[in-house]
Amino acid sequence: MPTEALDDTTLNGLVADATAAPSMHNAQPWQFRYGRGSRTLTLLADLDRAMPEADPDTRALHVGCGAALLNLRVSAAHRGLEAVTALRPVPSAPTVLAHVRLDSHPDAPRKPEHEALAALHPAIRERHTSRYPFDEQTIPEDIRGRFADAARAEGADFAFLTPVHLETVLELIRDAEGYDRRDPAREAEQRRWTRDTNAEAPVDGIPDYAFGPRDASERATVRDFAGTAVFASRARVLFENRPQLALLSTPGDRPEDWLRAGQALERVLLTATLHSVSTSFATQPLEWPDLRWILRDPVFGTGHAQMIVRLGYGPTGPRTPRRPLEQVLTIEP
């Protein structure tokens, strides 16, 4: 059993990698607490960054924190550390999402799972959400299979939508986008997480340079962070005619399942990045309970829908800001 604490450089690198994960509206709803004596990082939910209008049950918050947890595990494997992870280890403390004990066994042979995680590390800093058009090139079946394998390794299912199901989901996305624009409280909540970079240097939220262009056909699947506002200088372009959408789902629908979904999502996204596939999200129907339950494929679908991912070949999207480590990491004796 290792007794020496991690040095601060390693610790900071682990948490910096973890916080490169995506989260709803880039709210970054996480805190990390490190105990030197136990060599354990605790992942905590930051409920001050929750979204009571669009995410009242904090499902999306948990998914984002799960994505950060996967990045932490990848970063640990890259550094030769074993991340022994326990989800929701304190039932009486629901904001304690995970304990991660960081063991070091330098003389032990590397396990295949650790090698697989470490191989994803170069993608952490290259993964960005792209709200730009993709081309019409179909992602090959063998690459799609790798995405399914990545999700399966984390206990989730990842399946591209069949043509009939795609049309249904596209309608649900457009319905949900319309619902959002007619809901003043949701519009205000979204506006709270958008950033005017002419007025501030953001550390969180969605900066205006990451909004992407408007779809000239008004059929885009990506969320329009401009909402009902009009920007005269914003480009209007055509997006792909038939977007390649995939649904990530889990067998259960409890907080532990949401954390697993986040880990599966990030593992898919990192795998996609390594294969030069760009990604974005279409979460709008997931935020309306009456729409979420009908997202599942009526013929082939199982489980609970946790994320709709848009994939394709095109711009990777810009880097979005991250909070300084001193805001998210606490070190204890």
Side-chain angles (χ1 to χ4, degrees):
M1 178 75 178
T3 57
E4 294 183 2
L6 298 177
D7 64 84
D8 286 354
T9 298
T10 299
L11 181 59
N12 288 339
L14 289 164
V15 175
D17 282 345
T19 61
S23 57
M24 185 175 183
H25 298 5
N26 195 29
Q28 304 168 50
W30 43 63
Q31 290 286 331
F32 293 88
R33 186 174 64 220
Y34 180 63
R36 290 196 186 276
S38 64
R39 288 177 60 110
T40 297
L41 266 169
T42 298
L43 170 61
L44 302 142
D46 186 345
L47 296 182
D48 289 339
R49 293 173 171 271
M51 298 179 196
E53 296 297 329
D55 186 35
D57 60 1
T58 70
R59 185 196 63 82
L61 180 149
H62 280 73
V63 170
C65 287
L69 179 58
L70 188 281
N71 273 4
L72 176 60
R73 291 169 50 212
V74 168
S75 188
H78 169 71
R79 290 170 170 82
L81 300 168
E82 181 179 4
V84 182
T85 304
L87 298 182
R88 301 259 300 177
V90 187
S92 61
T95 59
V96 178
L97 303 184
H99 283 165
V100 183
R101 192 179 75 245
L102 296 159
D103 291 347
S104 178
H105 305 287
D107 298 327
R110 296 269 285 178
K111 298 177 182 178
E113 169 62 10
H114 294 164
E115 295 285 1
L117 285 172
L120 297 173
H121 186 262
I124 287 179
R125 297 292 166 176
E126 299 302 319
R127 183 217 62 82
H128 308 301
T129 300
S130 177
R131 299 180 184 88
Y132 290 84
F134 300 157
D135 64 31
E136 302 292 344
Q137 180 183 353
T138 300
I139 299 169
E141 286 299 326
D142 63 324
I143 303 299
R144 293 184 176 212
R146 292 177 188 237
F147 301 156
D149 291 343
R152 194 176 302 113
E154 301 298 333
D157 180 67
F158 188 82
F160 281 81
L161 305 187
T162 61
V164 174
H165 190 205
L166 174 63
E167 292 305 319
T168 299
V169 172
L170 288 174
E171 288 298 325
L172 293 174
I173 292 170
R174 291 163 196 142
D175 288 346
E177 186 81 13
Y179 292 173
D180 288 345
R181 294 188 185 189
R182 292 193 296 269
D183 187 318
R186 292 204 184 202
E187 176 91 356
E189 185 175 75
Q190 177 174 293
R191 193 178 304 117
R192 177 192 168 202
W193 291 103
T194 60
R195 303 288 182 256
D196 179 355
T197 52
N198 290 318
E200 60 182 321
V203 297
D204 59 11
I206 306 296
D208 45 18
Y209 62 75
F211 287 4
R214 280 192 183 275
D215 182 10
S217 69
E218 300 294 336
R219 298 179 68 248
T221 59
V222 295
R223 187 190 300 273
D224 188 351
F225 277 95
T228 56
V230 176
F231 295 85
S233 60
R234 193 172 174 210
R236 293 176 63 89
V237 301
L238 288 173
F239 280 62
E240 59 268 32
N241 184 49
R242 292 185 64 80
Q244 297 177 82
L245 300 184
L247 191 65
L248 186 142
S249 58
T250 53
D253 200 31
R254 301 172 302 165
E256 293 89 340
D257 299 297
W258 304 338
L259 289 169
R260 292 188 184 95
Q263 292 177 89
L265 172 66
E266 184 68 347
R267 192 157 183 159
V268 169
L269 298 179
L270 296 181
T271 302
T273 300
L274 290 180
H275 287 87
S276 301
V277 175
S278 296
T279 56
S280 64
F281 312 110
T283 61
Q284 302 93 316
L286 295 163
E287 298 155 17
W288 293 92
D290 59 332
L291 300 181
R292 183 187 174 212
W293 77 271
I294 56 176
L295 281 172
R296 187 172 66 184
D297 189 311
V299 177
F300 302 106
T302 59
H304 300 267
Q306 303 294 353
M307 183 61 70
I308 304 168
V309 185
R310 168 179 166 257
L311 305 98
Y313 297 100
T316 58
R319 185 185 303 272
T320 50
R322 289 297 181 272
R323 300 162 67 193
L325 288 181
E326 57 266 25
Q327 292 186 13
V328 297
L329 173 61
T330 302
I331 301 176
E332 299 176 341

